[in-house]
Amino acid sequence: MGWLEELVKETKSVGKVSWAKVARDLRREPSWKGLRISEGSLATYLGAFDQGQKLHLLNTTPRLRALLVEHLQVAEEDFQERLESLNGTRPSQQRSFRLWDANTRPLNLGQDPLPAAFPPEVLDTRSWAGSPILWRARNGSGRTLVGEWLEAQGKALFIRAESWNEAQRKLPRTGKAFIELKSSMGLLEVDTLPTGIDLCVTVDGIPDDTLPDSPFQEAPQEEPQPSHIWTFVSSPAVEEWLEALVLWIEERRADEEAFDPRACLDWLRKDILPLGLIEGFETAVGFIGVYAEFRKQLQSKKTTTQVDLARYFLRIRGRHIPERDTALDIASLWTFLLGMACRLLVQGEEPWFQARPLDDWRAIVRTGPDASDVIDWLSNASVQKLLKLAPRDISKAAEALPPQAFQRVKTLQQLFLLREQQPGMYALRPSWVFETVLDQSADALLQESAEVWGEALLHAHGAAFVFDRLRSRCQNGDFEPISRMLAIHDRRSPAWTAALESSFVALGLTLLEGGAIPETLHAEVFDLQQSLTSEINGVPLPRTFRRDGLQSPLLSPGYWLLAAHALTEERGLSRAAAHPVLDPWNHAFPGNEHLNELALSWNEIIERPPSDETKLRVIELYGRLFCRKKASTSQFLHFQLPELLLTAFQSNELNTQHIKALSKLKGLIQILRPYFQRRGQEWESFARTLWRVWLESSEELPRALHPRPQAADLWSFIPVEAIQDERLSNWLSGTSVPFELFKDDQWIAFLRFWPRRKRPGFDLEPGFPWQAMPESFMRMALADEVLGVGHQDQEARRAIWKKAPAVAREGLRDYVQRGKWTSALGLARAAPDEETPSVIAMVRKGITQPDIPNKTLIPWLRHLINLRVPGWKEAWALRCDLEEGAKDT
């Protein structure tokens, strides 16, 4: 007897239940009106519900559910309780899912577990209670798989919707629902939800909050958070779950051919992860499939290019297309993709990854007059007569929806290379495949005239690919595209001007990074560029660069001016004609307050460089300029601050103003250490000097020395005197101090500081120093009774038990032997439950001592007994002995 039959018997007092009769009775209820379910279908559904099947219909059809509750005259809570009791007993739904890219067997989602690639808060529906979960997951994160799995497991209803408004209409009255949205519109404005339902929503398109872009940041300012009800979770980092995924797939592969998961994992970690190609779950599955299918080719090649990987991936995708034809030939497909990528680079303002309607994609893939066998066939007079089609209608239809373009877009969809991202909007995926295609297309464009590749530079999304290839060619000594650009001048052409300005930056960065360029090319490009600048507030700037989030960070006014300074440092021709801002090496650098903000933006150049090496070379360049031409305050550049600090340190002139200057620019401290080391200066000596300068002053701790990740290189060398200084007391009671970097003398000073700190310490903070403290200093702290009496240092004691239980036991044993009962009880109270038997045994050894504090021992034992912790019976026995001993006394 099923649950529903049992409920009907209880409420209707019938001996035998007929689902047909129950269905008839339900249809007679006044509230039935409007429900379109036949009596026979309803009886079938009722029987299925009774067996624990198709229960999701009770959530997706709330009127039917309400009708059942009304007819059976039970409370909604009782009905829901009956449903929830089925979760642990009813058979899992037989729902299959297959990861084609990795060639897995069909997965039984009702039985198979998922790999550890998803947030635990999402998979554990118990965490949804109280606060709904919002899983920010980009497309390709396995969201659909998770939703299918949760529903197959009977844990939640899976709802797919275009928007939150649509999802709301599908919500059940009670229970749990996992919602996959295509659009985040209106989601963050939600401030209330229906009661009685637990939710997890997943959607792409909610960006992380970012700090302001200003290079002057006196302190990190948190953006105000939107007022919403969601608890945000994100997918774990790839490195955390990649191994588990490989092993999980290895157990489920349909191919019986040998697959070495360890070799696959080594390949992924060595060759793929450093390239940053794995965006999420689906991309990782794809690369595992590539290795499983083409491992022999991968192992036989000395180097495997990204193009090779992309072609291998397309071959895997092509095997699962139901309609195999010549359109799926990989060589032809690759040629088609290169042509499409070329048009994406040079046409339109929309970025290549932008979702578009299918008609837009058909227009992009169309290359010219459409030649098609379908049109030839339809043009036959007999066919036209049979289908009653007019030639003009065929031509009109072919023009509006070209068969070849239609078939190409369909092929992209079949290959899952064109995926629906938002309602009716499709985008190219996976990104790494199309970035590879676009990169190769950009390289091919550089073989054309400057007008062609310059056109791509005018579009933000195309500029990044073309400039990266141009810069790579210059680094390898290939200046042919620039030479062809110089052969034909068209100063009125925006495309040619963009080609010139990008060449200017590419040449300058080549010099900055230690490369060489022909002197005649150097001079001609510089002179041409200088003649085509536009001045703003006395600062010459390029004409075609734009401030755009899609624009290559190197195609900015800042990098353009940086390139000019790199070029003029080495420039041997026409020096007298150079603008002073462009050639500060040979002219008086003009005092221009706009330079730092308008062009040479610290945030733009230092926060987003192509590499750490480039960042250092920028600082070195302006360090050389500082040494050659001392700048006044009005002419001082942000990038010269490291050299200013180095010079002050070398001349023993560091003061508090220099320390305050460190806090002006984000990321300055991190760049100082490698810069000092490259200049042959010892960082430890500089760091200790900064601390000494502060100690000798009467000022509070400067912002540059505040404990935070950016200042870790300074805190690792904090002197003992600073730790003892009262001005630092509150800071040492924070959680951002890098205690893991402390050395022995710093730990000794810290233990001396601890008893006299201003605050009770880290009791409510998760990152207190005892978690990082070496065991030898924990022993010292316990032996010297550094920890305070009472509850204020309990978190420190718990940390010792957690990190070094042997040290805690030694300390407790020592306290008992010495009769230090106050310290002994403090340490005993902090012990985890599993340590109770050993703790009781140690305490018992001291009860023969005089002056046993029964008044404090017995309440502690009573507490352990009440909690029924492991070893509570030993606590019972000890309590009895203490009470009997007290009576005897």
Side-chain angles (χ1 to χ4, degrees):
M1 181 169 60
W3 71 279
L4 187 55
E5 182 179 354
E6 181 180 343
L7 193 57
V8 172
K9 286 183 176 181
E10 289 177 5
T11 58
K12 297 301 180 183
S13 301
V14 295
K16 186 177 180 180
V17 174
S18 166
W19 297 122
K21 183 179 184 306
V22 175
R24 281 196 302 273
D25 292 343
L26 283 170
R27 289 170 58 86
R28 290 171 183 159
E29 292 283 352
S31 55
W32 172 264
K33 188 177 180 180
L35 282 173
R36 297 182 179 180
I37 306 175
S38 68
E39 185 176 307
S41 296
L42 181 58
T44 301
Y45 283 133
L46 292 172
F49 296 158
D50 187 55
Q51 298 301 313
Q53 300 172 1
K54 299 184 179 180
L55 294 175
H56 64 280
L57 292 174
L58 291 174
N59 291 322
T60 56
T61 317
R63 284 192 60 198
L64 176 60
R65 177 194 178 105
L67 185 64
L68 263 175
V69 171
E70 178 185 346
H71 177 71
L72 296 175
Q73 295 180 338
V74 295
E76 171 66 33
E77 294 78 10
D78 293 338
F79 190 83
Q80 178 62 25
E81 186 177 343
R82 298 277 184 131
L83 284 177
E84 290 180 350
S85 68
L86 299 175
N87 288 339
T89 58
R90 68 182 178 87
S92 299
Q93 298 182 39
Q94 298 294 317
R95 186 173 302 184
S96 64
F97 197 98
R98 191 167 183 180
L99 300 175
W100 291 105
D101 290 346
N103 195 24
T104 66
R105 58 170 169 75
L107 307 174
N108 183 346
L109 297 182
Q111 298 178 359
D112 277 322
L114 290 184
F118 311 105
E121 301 93 336
V122 172
L123 300 184
D124 184 0
T125 56
R126 292 172 298 181
S127 66
W128 305 0
S131 178
I133 301 295
L134 181 55
W135 176 21
R136 295 183 295 180
R138 62 185 303 172
N139 290 292
S141 298
R143 302 179 302 180
T144 301
L145 172 60
V146 170
E148 296 276 8
W149 180 82
L150 286 169
E151 185 163 87
Q153 293 276 324
K155 296 184 175 184
L157 173 69
F158 180 29
I159 297 174
R160 303 182 74 176
E162 310 287 355
S163 65
W164 172 249
N165 286 337
E166 179 185 338
Q168 279 186 297
R169 295 193 292 269
K170 298 180 178 181
L171 286 177
R173 289 190 176 183
T174 58
K176 301 178 186 294
F178 178 85
I179 304 172
E180 180 182 2
L181 297 180
K182 290 183 179 179
S183 170
S184 62
M185 184 179 299
L187 196 57
L188 293 184
E189 285 71 41
V190 176
D191 54 9
T192 58
L193 287 174
T195 58
I197 184 169
D198 298 333
L199 291 182
C200 178
V201 177
T202 180
V203 68
D204 191 5
I206 299 180
D208 293 327
D209 294 317
T210 56
L211 293 174
D213 287 335
S214 171
F216 288 97
Q217 189 94 353
E218 289 298 319
Q221 301 293 324
E222 293 187 359
E223 294 264 336
Q225 296 293 318
S227 175
H228 52 68
I229 60 174
W230 307 102
T231 297
F232 285 109
V233 299
S234 300
S235 299
V238 174
E239 294 81 357
E240 295 179 20
W241 49 262
L242 188 59
E243 179 176 1
L245 177 63
V246 172
L247 297 174
W248 185 84
I249 287 177
E250 190 265 339
E251 295 176 356
R252 293 163 175 80
R253 273 183 48 81
D255 193 345
E256 295 182 358
E257 190 174 347
F259 170 68
D260 185 346
R262 290 297 166 189
C264 175
L265 188 62
D266 290 344
W267 175 72
L268 291 170
R269 286 172 171 166
K270 179 184 176 183
D271 296 344
I272 305 301
L273 280 179
L275 298 176
L277 300 181
I278 299 182
E279 303 166 341
F281 177 78
E282 290 184 13
T283 313
V285 170
F287 277 112
I288 294 170
V290 166
Y291 181 84
E293 195 74 25
F294 299 103
R295 57 188 175 279
K296 293 180 181 178
Q297 293 90 324
L298 293 170
Q299 292 166 357
S300 63
K301 288 188 175 185
K302 291 184 178 179
T303 57
T304 302
T305 66
Q306 204 162 309
V307 172
D308 294 329
L309 294 173
R311 293 172 73 102
Y312 290 152
F313 179 79
L314 292 175
R315 286 173 63 181
I316 290 176
R317 283 281 173 94
R319 293 178 184 178
H320 304 293
I321 302 302
E323 300 175 9
R324 299 295 302 273
D325 54 34
T326 54
L328 294 178
D329 174 70
I330 295 302
S332 301
L333 176 63
W334 189 257
T335 301
F336 156 63
L337 291 177
L338 287 175
M340 182 180 71
C342 183
R343 288 187 289 279
L344 286 170
L345 289 172
V346 300
Q347 296 176 7
E349 287 299 321
E350 297 293 336
W352 68 269
F353 51 81
Q354 181 73 43
R356 317 164 195 243
L358 288 178
D359 285 344
D360 287 5
W361 286 113
R362 291 174 186 132
I364 290 171
V365 302
R366 187 176 182 181
T367 56
D370 206 340
S372 169
D373 293 339
V374 175
I375 294 180
D376 292 341
W377 181 70
L378 289 173
S379 299
N380 183 278
S382 300
V383 174
Q384 292 176 3
K385 184 176 180 180
L386 181 65
L387 299 178
K388 299 180 181 180
L389 294 173
R392 184 175 59 184
D393 293 336
I394 295 173
S395 300
K396 188 176 180 180
E399 179 64 27
L401 186 60
Q404 191 177 58
F406 177 85
Q407 182 58 47
R408 286 172 173 171
V409 170
K410 181 182 177 183
T411 298
L412 291 175
Q413 289 180 280
Q414 289 176 321
L415 289 166
F416 293 101
L417 298 176
L418 193 61
R419 307 278 291 271
E420 189 176 23
Q421 304 297 295
Q422 298 171 6
M425 305 293 282
Y426 296 78
L428 298 172
R429 296 291 185 273
S431 298
W432 76 269
V433 170
F434 286 96
E435 286 172 355
T436 303
V437 176
L438 287 158
D439 190 61
Q440 196 172 38
S441 293
D443 197 60
L445 280 177
L446 290 173
Q447 305 288 355
E448 306 291 335
S449 69
E451 281 286 339
V452 175
W453 53 272
E455 187 65 34
L457 288 165
L458 291 172
H459 305 296
H461 55 282
F465 289 98
V466 174
F467 180 75
D468 286 348
R469 298 312 307 161
L470 178 65
R471 179 166 165 260
S472 177
R473 284 177 175 243
C474 290
Q475 289 172 332
N476 294 319
D478 178 6
F479 304 102
E480 185 60 30
I482 298 178
S483 297
R484 286 199 305 272
M485 180 267 298
L486 293 175
I488 303 176
H489 293 190
D490 189 356
R491 301 163 68 95
R492 296 177 62 85
S493 165
W496 184 87
T497 303
L500 171 67
E501 292 175 345
S502 298
S503 299
F504 183 82
V505 177
L507 293 177
L509 291 180
T510 299
L511 286 179
L512 179 75
E513 294 169 349
I517 60 177
E519 187 171 340
T520 53
L521 191 74
H522 182 166
E524 186 173 359
V525 168
F526 186 92
D527 290 342
L528 269 174
Q529 176 62 94
Q530 185 172 231
S531 68
L532 283 173
T533 58
S534 301
E535 282 200 21
I536 299 178
N537 295 321
V539 179
L541 293 171
R543 295 182 176 184
T544 64
F545 289 179
R546 49 195 276 180
R547 293 187 180 274
D548 194 308
L550 302 174
Q551 179 82 25
S552 168
L554 302 182
L555 292 179
S556 64
Y559 270 99
W560 180 86
L561 195 54
L562 170 65
H565 295 167
L567 288 166
T568 51
E569 184 183 22
E570 300 289 334
R571 186 167 173 259
L573 301 175
S574 305
R575 284 185 172 176
H579 191 290
V581 170
L582 300 183
D583 184 9
W585 307 91
N586 299 289
H587 295 82
F589 203 53
N592 194 313
E593 62 184 19
H594 301 285
L595 269 178
N596 281 323
E597 293 299 329
L598 181 63
L600 285 172
S601 163
W602 173 273
N603 180 66
E604 189 174 83
I605 294 178
I606 296 301
E607 292 295 302
R608 295 192 293 268
S611 67
D612 287 340
E613 178 62 25
T614 299
K615 185 188 299 187
L616 273 173
R617 286 184 177 273
V618 170
I619 299 300
E620 287 180 323
L621 175 75
Y622 290 104
R624 293 193 296 272
L625 178 61
F626 179 85
C627 293
R628 185 186 299 185
K629 306 191 75 172
K630 300 292 184 181
S632 67
T633 304
S634 62
Q635 299 168 322
F636 192 76
L637 295 174
H638 295 151
F639 310 108
Q640 295 177 315
L641 189 52
E643 185 62 32
L644 171 69
L645 294 169
L646 176 61
T647 302
F649 169 65
Q650 290 173 328
S651 60
N652 198 28
E653 295 177 353
L654 278 177
N655 56 47
T656 54
Q657 294 305 312
H658 291 117
I659 299 178
K660 290 177 181 178
L662 279 172
S663 65
K664 284 188 175 182
L665 301 173
K666 294 187 294 182
L668 176 59
I669 295 177
Q670 295 97 306
I671 205 174
L672 274 181
R673 184 166 189 168
Y675 181 69
F676 272 50
Q677 291 171 337
R678 187 167 287 195
R679 292 292 305 275
Q681 298 297 315
E682 185 181 353
W683 175 256
E684 180 177 352
S685 178
F686 172 74
R688 292 188 181 278
T689 301
L690 283 182
W691 283 109
R692 178 180 53 77
V693 169
W694 170 67
L695 284 169
E696 292 174 355
S697 74
S698 59
E699 299 185 11
E700 292 298 321
L701 190 70
R703 194 174 301 279
L705 297 180
H706 287 184
R708 48 184 175 169
Q710 299 92 317
D713 283 338
L714 295 175
W715 273 80
S716 59
F717 298 109
I718 182 173
V720 169
E721 297 83 3
I723 295 176
Q724 300 293 335
D725 196 289
E726 288 188 1
R727 290 173 293 174
L728 209 63
S729 180
N730 284 344
W731 293 104
L732 283 170
S733 294
T735 58
S736 53
V737 176
F739 291 106
E740 67 278 3
L741 302 178
F742 271 25
K743 300 177 181 63
D744 288 359
D745 60 334
Q746 294 164 326
W747 279 119
I748 292 172
F750 178 81
L751 292 181
R752 291 173 181 167
F753 145 80
W754 185 259
R756 55 184 181 81
R757 66 196 186 285
K758 292 182 179 178
R759 297 183 185 178
F762 298 78
D763 294 35
L764 301 178
E765 301 288 348
F768 59 88
W770 302 87
Q771 295 176 350
M773 186 179 291
E775 291 186 9
S776 59
F777 292 100
M778 289 182 176
R779 287 191 179 91
M780 185 183 300
L782 294 178
D784 295 344
E785 297 185 274
V786 168
L787 297 176
V789 176
H791 297 287
Q792 63 179 5
D793 283 342
Q794 281 301 87
E795 287 299 318
R797 297 184 179 94
R798 290 192 183 100
I800 295 174
W801 276 108
K802 183 176 181 179
K803 181 177 180 179
V807 172
R809 293 188 206 106
E810 291 173 16
L812 181 58
R813 190 178 298 113
D814 176 63
Y815 286 151
V816 172
Q817 290 174 353
R818 292 195 287 151
K820 300 285 187 178
W821 286 105
T822 301
S823 296
L825 270 174
L827 194 55
R829 286 192 179 99
D833 292 347
E834 62 270 16
E835 291 285 345
T836 302
S838 64
V839 168
I840 296 297
M842 283 184 275
V843 172
R844 176 175 285 282
K845 290 183 179 180
I847 63 173
T848 58
Q849 298 174 6
D851 301 324
I852 297 297
N854 287 350
K855 289 185 178 180
T856 52
L857 278 174
I858 290 176
W860 166 63
L861 293 171
R862 184 169 59 243
H863 177 71
L864 297 178
I865 295 166
N866 289 340
L867 292 179
R868 297 295 193 269
V869 298
W872 69 270
K873 290 185 178 180
E874 288 88 338
W876 179 284
L878 179 58
R879 175 185 174 181
C880 291
D881 292 344
L882 289 173
E883 289 176 340
E884 290 173 3
K887 290 178 181 178
D888 293 342
T889 301

